[in-house]
Structures are given as structure tokens and as C-alpha cells.
Amino acid sequence: MGQTTTNPRSKSVIVPGFGDKKSYHLHDMAYGSILGIRGAIVSRSQGFSQTTVVLDPAKVEGLTDLQKLVLADGQPSPFGGVVTGNTVTIYRD
């Protein structure tokens, strides 16, 4: 599950949502680890069934893809998304 970090020029990494207790637990742990990070969202654009969030590279340096997804979503992410460097696309359904 998306535990590697990405750099801004890397390929997209699909981070699955949670569908069972084990995957929800991973999302919940990631959420607990990013609670203290403030001001990391540079921009947010809402589209049909997805939201794209650009994160501040300095604030998310060293975070895993799962942590970036949860930070961008503001909660454990039920549908998952795609992380490409510091840009996160969150699926809404």
C-alpha cells in the first residue's frame, strides 16, 4: 500500500482506498501521523467525482504516498486516489 515517497517528476502512484479493517487501519494510522501538519495545501480544485490537491513540497517532504493522500483528503480516504509527486487526485466515488 503506497508506502514509498515520490518526487515531483515521478510516475503516478495509485493509492487504494479502504475496503476492509486492515486497510482502514493503515489509513487511520496515516491520518494520526499527519495531524500536526498545517498549511500544506497550496491549491484545491473540485471536479466531477474527484478533487485535485497540490501540496507544499517543503511541508510534505518525507511523507509516504498514503500520508499525502490522507493529508490532502483531510481524513482516511475511502475511495483512494493517485499521488504524483506533490499533486494528489482524490477519488470521490
Side-chain angles (χ1 to χ4, degrees), residues 9-22:
R9 295 181 207 136
S10 69
K11 294 180 180 179
S12 298
V13 176
I14 297 172
V15 181
F18 56 85
D20 56 27
K21 284 185 177 185
K22 181 181 177 185

Side-chain angles (χ1 to χ4, degrees), residues 15-64:
V15 181
F18 56 85
D20 56 27
K21 284 185 177 185
K22 181 181 177 185
S23 59
Y24 179 79
H25 180 67
L26 293 172
H27 277 250
D28 195 42
M29 285 180 11
Y31 179 70
S33 70
I34 56 94
L35 281 175
I37 300 174
R38 300 282 182 243
I41 295 176
V42 174
S43 67
R44 177 183 299 271
S45 58
Q46 191 92 16
F48 181 75
S49 76
Q50 67 184 30
T51 301
T52 301
V53 178
V54 177
L55 301 171
D56 182 339
K59 300 225 177 182
V60 298
E61 185 177 349
L63 293 183
T64 67

